[in-house]
Amino acid sequence: MEIIESMVTSNPCYRAGKKIHVKGLVLHSVGCPQPSAEVFVKRFNNADSKVCVHAFIDANTGKVYQTLPWDYKAWHCGGSANSTHIGVEMCEPNCIKYTGGATFACTDETAAKVMVARTLESAAQLFASLCAKYGLDPLADGVIISHKEGHDRGVASGHGDPDHLFRQLNMNYTMDDFRKRVAELMSK
C-alpha cells in the first residue's frame, strides 16, 4: 500500500485543526462513478468545502491519498462518529451509473469488481496499519464500520455505502469479511 500525502490545507476542516481521540474507522465509498482520488483531493482542497475525509483510495491504482492528519476531526459521516472515527473513501468504478439513491447500473461488472476489490485490499491494509497505530481491535464492536452501519447505529447520516457496492455487484462480500481481512493482515 502506498500513501501519498495530499493534505487539503485550504479546506475549513483542515484549517480548524480539531483533534480527536481515535476510537474507530469508517469505510465509505464516494457515491459517484469516479475512480481517480486526485479528482476528489482537488475538489476538497478549497475554502468553500463543507465536507472532508482523512483519505481517498484510488480505484485505478489502489494508492491512498491522505488528506488530513489521522487524528484530525473530519466531516465525513454527518453524525457523532466524526468526533471519534477516521473516515476513508473508496473511489468507485467509472462503469457504474447511479439511477436513484444508492442504486446503480453497471456496464462492465467484471471491471467494476476488480476496481472494488483493489480499493478494498488497500483499505484493509490501511485499516490494519491504523488499528495497530491506535491500539484498536478490528473485530471489536463498532471499531470498523461502514457508513451504512454508522447510520444503523445512529452515529452517521443515512447512506448505504459501501455495502451497496458489494450487494449490487454480486461480490458475496460483507463488512464482516472486511473486518476479518484487517485482522488477518494485523496478525502477519
Side-chain angles (χ1 to χ4, degrees):
M1 166 198 57
E2 181 180 351
I3 298 178
I4 299 168
E5 193 173 285
S6 303
M7 299 298 166
V8 289
T9 56
S10 296
N11 188 292
C13 180
Y14 178 92
R15 294 171 71 171
K18 292 183 179 177
K19 301 271 186 135
I20 63 170
H21 175 73
V22 178
K23 295 182 180 177
L25 313 167
V26 179
L27 185 62
H28 300 270
S29 63
V30 295
C32 65
Q34 176 51 261
S36 174
E38 290 179 342
V39 168
F40 291 100
V41 171
K42 288 176 186 170
R43 188 177 301 158
F44 279 49
N45 195 20
N46 73 73
D48 296 325
S49 185
K50 303 291 185 220
V51 293
C52 194
V53 297
H54 293 90
F56 291 95
I57 302 174
D58 192 287
N60 291 315
T61 65
K63 293 178 182 177
V64 176
Y65 288 74
Q66 182 183 359
T67 53
L68 286 178
W70 301 121
D71 63 347
Y72 270 35
K73 180 179 180 177
W75 305 329
H76 60 94
C77 68
S80 63
N82 283 345
S83 298
T84 56
H85 286 59
I86 291 170
V88 176
E89 293 270 6
M90 300 187 318
C91 293
E92 295 185 11
N94 55 358
C95 55
I96 63 174
K97 179 180 180 187
Y98 281 89
T99 57
T103 303
F104 60 82
C106 182
T107 58
D108 189 344
E109 190 173 293
T110 301
K113 285 179 178 180
V114 168
M115 294 177 105
V116 172
R118 180 183 298 126
T119 58
L120 281 169
E121 182 59 21
S122 289
Q125 291 174 20
L126 175 62
F127 279 34
S129 172
L130 292 170
C131 282
K133 177 180 179 77
Y134 291 103
L136 304 172
D137 176 356
L139 300 176
D141 184 52
V143 170
I144 293 177
I145 57 175
S146 68
H147 194 149
K148 179 191 180 307
E149 291 172 326
H151 173 261
D152 294 346
R153 291 170 167 269
V155 298
S157 60
H159 286 240
D161 62 297
D163 308 63
H164 73 297
L165 291 174
F166 317 147
R167 185 180 66 260
Q168 291 178 66
L169 291 174
N170 303 306
M171 293 182 72
N172 194 29
Y173 192 84
T174 67
M175 282 302 294
D176 284 336
D177 295 319
F178 180 75
R179 287 182 275 271
K180 289 175 189 170
R181 178 64 179 145
V182 173
E184 176 186 313
L185 288 167
M186 289 181 72
S187 68
K188 290 183 178 184

